[in-house]
Amino acid sequence: MPHGPALGAPLLSEPLRRERWRILHAVHDRVEEVADTAVGVMRAEIPSYALQDERFFADVREQVLEHYRMQLAALAGDRGIAPEDLVFSRAAAMRRARAGFALEDWISAFRVGRQVLWDALLDCAGTAAEAQQAALSLVTPLMRYVDYASTHAAQAYVEYQQHVVADADRERRDLLDQLLAGVAPTRGPLSAAAQAYGIGPHSPMMAVVAVCVGDTRTGDLTSAEHGYATTASISVAGPWAGRTLVVVRHEEVVAVPVVRAGMTPDDTCAHFEAVQQRLARGGTMLSMGISTVAQGACELPRAYEEARAALDLVPSGGGVAALPRLSPFDYLALRADDLARQLVDPRVRVLLEEDRRRGDTLAATIRAFAEADLNLRLAADRLRVHHNTAHYRLRRIEERTGRNPRRVADLLELLVALAIRDGAREGEEGR
């Protein structure tokens, strides 16, 4: 932005030029009073300003006076504004950004300052037609000044925020790298960052790894990468939790939620499942793997590897594999390879495939019988069928497969075959 706006007067008659000069000098004579009015309006209209102390408002008043005097001098002297004239304003913008003020608050302050100055110009102009016309000649240059000065302020804000965001990203990555090395920082900036996320050397934590697998709006993995911006949803780990460490790292999103007092691992799993579903509805498909609980930073490397391994259990179309919700039996069945499937007796495999096409009544009977601890009457009640119907189904299973569900070893084999069948089906649906 090498050149500033031209604030000189347009071609005016000599009487209008004299009126213009008179108005500007009248406002200049009462500029401190006008600045006080502007600060008072800012205090009343900008909520974040209203909470500040007198030292803050002394700084604001100094800035307002500097802007007013510069504008009045430029307008009276028919000269432009150069970028170096606004160094003081950029410095003030940095201070506001560093203090946490929103950019819109800073821009609102410019709006208030402009309006109060314009009211003062009109008041000093009076009601005479020639004076009113002279005042109107000031509208355009004043707008140019405010646009130019506020743009400088916005640039300063953006520069500062980019610096802060870059530093924060670097700090989060460094913290995660140290945690994945099995060590919780105990001093320095990383220690303070860990405390902000509730992470201590012995804090119970979990690891969550998410990867983007597609975009339902475009079907394009390239555009789906932009969906990582939406993983800000992950930053809160549950209804009772504070902030959660989340880092985009090596084409994956890694989160380290702390299991705080009053929470359970299931609460964390439920939250991340809800996040995955919410993002899916918005078009971003994620696969998520969730680890078991790591008792302290020393166990977090193990939890991270668990979360990555859990990703292998997720269908290719996306979803969540939460290890705390799986039994060892479920996990082993889901991890079954082609060899395990080949080891299933063909008679069992054929029966279960036929049963799936017919509504899974035999599979439901096998599960209910196992869950009822081999109590057939209880299983029949839970299935809401007659005892003789349940008995017939078990006999049919034995006749077709050679496995008697009343024998523990045979029942276990049937359950394993059933789990392998269902795990293979999930994989096929994902593909």
Side-chain angles (χ1 to χ4, degrees), residues 352-353 355-356 360 363 367 417-425:
L352 293 180
E353 288 300 328
D355 182 54
R356 180 169 64 183
D360 263 350
R367 291 194 179 98
L418 188 55
I420 290 175
R421 183 205 72 172
D422 291 343
R425 182 185 181 188

Side-chain angles (χ1 to χ4, degrees), residues 6-139:
L7 303 187
L11 294 176
L12 299 173
S13 65
E14 188 59 31
L16 286 180
R17 289 180 67 85
R18 285 198 301 269
E19 278 300 307
R20 180 182 166 112
W21 187 89
R22 179 187 67 78
I23 295 168
L24 292 173
H25 278 266
V27 174
H28 184 272
D29 289 343
R30 50 185 282 197
V31 68
E32 296 206 8
E33 175 190 336
V34 177
D36 288 337
T37 300
V39 171
V41 176
M42 291 176 194
R43 194 172 207 159
E45 293 189 2
I46 305 175
S48 62
Y49 277 35
L51 301 174
Q52 306 309 309
D53 57 19
E54 294 307 318
R55 182 177 178 182
F56 169 82
F57 285 109
D59 182 40
V60 172
R61 184 178 186 276
E62 182 179 341
Q63 296 300 311
V64 172
L65 275 172
E66 191 82 17
H67 279 291
Y68 282 174
R69 285 169 175 156
M70 181 178 296
Q71 291 176 80
L72 294 170
L75 290 166
D78 294 345
R79 71 177 184 86
I81 299 295
E84 54 268 23
D85 293 326
L86 292 171
V87 170
F88 76 95
S89 183
R90 290 177 61 84
M94 286 286 191
R95 290 198 297 275
R96 302 294 180 265
R98 191 178 300 114
F101 288 92
L103 177 57
E104 55 264 31
D105 291 341
W106 177 250
I107 300 302
S108 292
F110 269 97
R111 176 188 57 78
V112 169
R114 178 199 65 203
Q115 185 60 51
V116 171
L117 180 59
W118 175 243
D119 289 344
L121 288 167
L122 287 179
D123 184 59
C124 290
T127 58
E130 197 169 67
Q132 290 283 308
Q133 189 175 350
L136 287 175
S137 73
L138 297 168
V139 172

Side-chain angles (χ1 to χ4, degrees), residues 181-322:
V183 179
T186 57
R187 63 183 64 184
L190 290 186
S191 176
Q195 291 175 16
Y197 294 113
I199 297 173
H202 307 293
S203 301
M205 295 172 277
M206 298 167 71
V208 180
V209 176
V211 295
C212 194
V213 297
D215 191 319
T216 59
R217 296 161 296 189
T218 65
D220 182 6
L221 286 174
T222 301
S223 64
E225 291 174 359
H226 299 294
Y228 279 130
T230 63
T231 57
S233 303
I234 297 175
S235 63
V236 177
W240 304 291
R243 298 166 59 203
T244 294
L245 176 63
V246 185
V247 178
V248 178
R249 178 179 182 270
H250 305 320
E251 299 182 354
E252 64 186 18
V253 178
V254 182
V256 183
V258 174
V259 183
R260 291 172 168 82
M263 291 181 62
T264 67
D266 191 65
D267 293 325
T268 300
C269 294
H271 171 74
F272 281 95
E273 285 178 341
V275 168
Q276 193 275 341
Q277 292 166 7
R278 183 165 63 253
L279 294 178
R281 289 193 296 272
T284 300
M285 299 301 301
L286 296 180
S287 290
M288 283 188 180
I290 304 177
S291 76
T292 61
V293 177
Q295 297 298 334
C298 62
E299 293 187 7
L300 195 61
R302 181 264 303 163
Y304 172 69
E305 293 303 325
E306 285 182 2
R308 296 192 68 191
L311 285 175
D312 294 337
L313 308 180
V314 180
S316 59
V320 179

Side-chain angles (χ1 to χ4, degrees), residues 320-337:
V320 179
L323 296 185
R325 292 184 166 181
L326 297 179
S327 68
F329 178 88
D330 294 331
Y331 177 77
L332 292 173
L334 288 171
R335 296 284 292 182
D337 56 15

